[in-house]
Amino acid sequence: MIRTHRLAAGACALLAALATGILVPAVPADAAADDTTAAAPQVDLVLDVSGSMRATDIDGESRMAAAKQAFNEVLDATPAEVQLGIRTLGANYPGNDRQTGCKDTAQLYPVGTLNRTEAKAAVATLTPTGWTPIGPALLKAADDFQSGEGSKRIVLITDGSDTCAPLDPCEVAREIAAKGIDMTVDTLGLVPTTAMSKQLSCIAEATGGTYTSVEHRSQLTDKVNQLVDRAADPVVNPTAVAGTSACTSAPTLKSGLYSDREEFAQHRFYRVELKPGQELRTSVSVGVDRTVDPDYGVLLRAITLHGREIVRGEATGTGRTDALSTGLRYAKPESDDDDDADTAETVCLELSNSFTPATGVKTTPGLPLELTVDVVAGPDGSSDVASFGLGRGWWLLGALILTGFLAGVLWGWVSRWRIAVWRTN
């Protein structure tokens, strides 16, 4: 009898489990992981495996051996949340055919969840072989990443300049940046020459990355670790926006960080809606990612729809720089009319520059820029004068002027009186 009851209970439990499985579908084990992966930072290590990596000038060992050891240490230290991959250039074709050699780039380990053992085994197979197709490798690396909102970073390690011109790696980096995919390229030069340093600096600057000269294995390990760790840090990616040539057709921006491109000597317009009692605080940084002639400037103006200037911010320079920045503030006064209390004013932001490219420098894509817009509650009793940075300081300035005037009159009267007394005596 007891056995019969147990069988019946087991059958009921089995039916209940089957019914639960039918009525409530099981949640895939990867569902929660997918959300995490979508926001995971991604890093693609691009390693030069060209023939010159045989040189034995890094702490008494070959450049290739130093790179392998550094990679093993980096792989051991990579944070769990980072999706990491490895791409090579010049690793497979040993011949002299330039056209073939300039296609020699391959994905050694796909960008994804890191299996340290597999990644190390892949690196161990590398032998210095062929050409140095940096431009083609960067183009391919840009496609290695998975879709997702996490940061994307390419770390290029090379010991030489690109050997596949006219595909200029610097131009490739600018094209990658112009796509607005928030990708950063950091470059590391092993025992660099002046020409190589110039090229790698240009690649890094074009994407907001960094360039580092490396002459010791410990330097290589520390820097790559630093860049991988930096990828895991939370970042605020700017929203891509396209300014226009006139305010009437310009995009309307809310508080936030934006990125755009501006041609040389171009005017770019954006719009912001400002209600009474609010203050607009905005700044812009224009990146100088290529060689320009000296004497240049950036002008940011807040103007009305009719073209009247409200306030401006400007910056000038005369030498080589990485970026030029300026900003402005404008407070819209409170309205005494209840009907106009919620009526917004359209403020046009006009950005222009006076950069001129050096001879032979390409003008496209335009110069990268980042624009910050912040609309906040203005100071109590704000007025138009606040836009010029004085605000309530006008009364203090007036008081100081009046005090100075009265003090001058009094001092003059006292001086004349003393002179008159002296002459009398």
Side-chain angles (χ1 to χ4, degrees):
M1 187 72 176
I2 295 175
R3 184 178 179 183
T4 304
H5 286 168
R6 286 177 178 172
L7 290 173
C12 291
L14 179 61
L15 289 173
L18 291 172
T20 303
I22 294 172
L23 297 176
V24 183
V27 177
D30 295 336
D34 287 344
D35 293 337
T36 304
T37 302
Q42 302 179 53
V43 179
D44 201 12
L45 303 178
V46 180
L47 178 61
D48 181 355
V49 195
S50 60
S52 58
M53 290 289 283
R54 299 190 190 97
T56 56
D57 52 6
I58 295 186
D59 299 333
E61 60 185 359
S62 72
R63 299 172 183 177
M64 191 73 250
K68 286 183 177 181
Q69 292 181 46
F71 265 48
N72 286 337
E73 294 177 34
V74 168
L75 293 173
D76 284 334
T78 298
E81 66 271 23
V82 173
Q83 304 282 300
L84 187 136
I86 304 171
R87 171 170 287 277
T88 62
L89 60 95
N92 301 309
Y93 177 69
N96 296 321
D97 183 72
R98 183 175 179 279
Q99 186 174 2
T100 304
C102 288
K103 295 178 181 178
D104 185 9
T105 177
Q107 193 175 51
L108 183 71
Y109 187 85
V111 177
T113 302
L114 179 62
N115 182 311
R116 303 178 201 279
T117 302
E118 291 182 3
K120 288 181 180 180
V123 171
T125 64
L126 297 176
T127 301
T129 302
W131 296 64
T132 312
I134 294 177
L138 289 178
L139 282 176
K140 292 290 186 181
D143 295 328
D144 286 346
F145 297 101
Q146 304 172 19
S147 60
E149 299 177 356
S151 62
K152 299 175 178 63
R153 184 178 294 271
I154 295 173
V155 180
L156 171 66
I157 302 104
T158 180
D159 71 336
S161 301
D162 182 89
T163 56
C164 292
L167 187 59
D168 185 355
C170 198
E171 293 299 329
V172 170
R174 291 185 188 125
E175 290 175 11
I176 291 173
K179 292 179 180 178
I181 52 179
D182 301 321
M183 186 182 300
T184 303
V185 181
D186 297 291
T187 57
L188 288 82
L190 306 182
V191 195
T193 63
T194 301
M196 182 173 70
S197 296
K198 182 178 180 181
Q199 185 176 84
L200 295 182
S201 295
C202 183
I203 292 171
E205 288 176 6
T207 60
T210 59
Y211 163 68
T212 304
S213 171
V214 175
E215 296 187 3
H216 300 282
R217 181 171 61 83
S218 58
Q219 285 181 293
L220 179 60
T221 303
D222 292 344
K223 187 60 182 180
V224 178
N225 266 328
Q226 179 188 5
L227 294 173
V228 173
D229 289 341
R230 186 180 298 172
D233 293 337
V235 295
V236 177
N237 291 323
T239 301
V241 66
T244 59
S245 58
C247 184
T248 52
S249 58
T252 300
L253 308 182
K254 299 183 181 297
S255 293
L257 176 64
Y258 301 90
S259 64
D260 198 0
R261 289 265 170 175
E262 184 176 49
E263 301 289 344
F264 287 90
Q266 186 182 39
H267 288 247
R268 210 80 164 142
F269 286 86
Y270 312 89
R271 291 158 54 122
V272 178
E273 299 298 321
L274 200 63
K275 292 183 178 181
Q278 290 184 328
E279 182 175 86
L280 168 63
R281 302 174 183 176
T282 184
S283 63
V284 65
S285 293
V286 179
V288 190
D289 63 353
R290 66 207 76 174
T291 306
V292 298
D293 291 333
D295 299 323
Y296 44 73
V298 170
L299 174 64
L300 179 64
R301 297 200 306 156
I303 61 177
T304 66
L305 280 171
H306 302 292
R308 178 180 65 84
E309 181 177 296
I310 303 171
V311 64
R312 65 167 56 193
E314 54 189 331
T316 59
T318 57
R320 184 73 174 90
T321 183
D322 292 334
L324 201 60
S325 305
T326 187
L328 57 83
R329 296 174 64 176
Y330 166 55
K332 182 173 175 57
E334 294 277 7
S335 176
D336 296 330
D337 190 342
D338 293 338
D339 294 335
D340 295 333
D342 294 326
T343 303
E345 174 189 4
T346 298
V347 177
C348 303
L349 295 177
E350 180 190 16
L351 174 64
S352 58
N353 72 80
S354 58
F355 290 103
T356 54
T359 304
V361 171
K362 291 186 178 181
T363 60
T364 56
L367 300 171
L369 67 90
E370 283 194 357
L371 180 70
T372 61
V373 174
D374 198 12
V375 177
V376 299
D380 294 338
S382 61
S383 63
D384 280 336
V385 296
S387 64
F388 294 93
L390 292 174
R392 292 184 173 183
W394 274 112
W395 69 267
L396 178 60
L397 181 61
L400 290 173
I401 293 174
L402 180 60
T403 301
F405 174 75
L406 293 177
V409 171
L410 179 61
W411 180 254
W413 181 82
V414 170
S415 297
R416 293 182 63 183
W417 175 77
R418 291 178 62 186
I419 292 173
V421 171
W422 177 74
R423 287 179 175 175
T424 301
N425 294 333

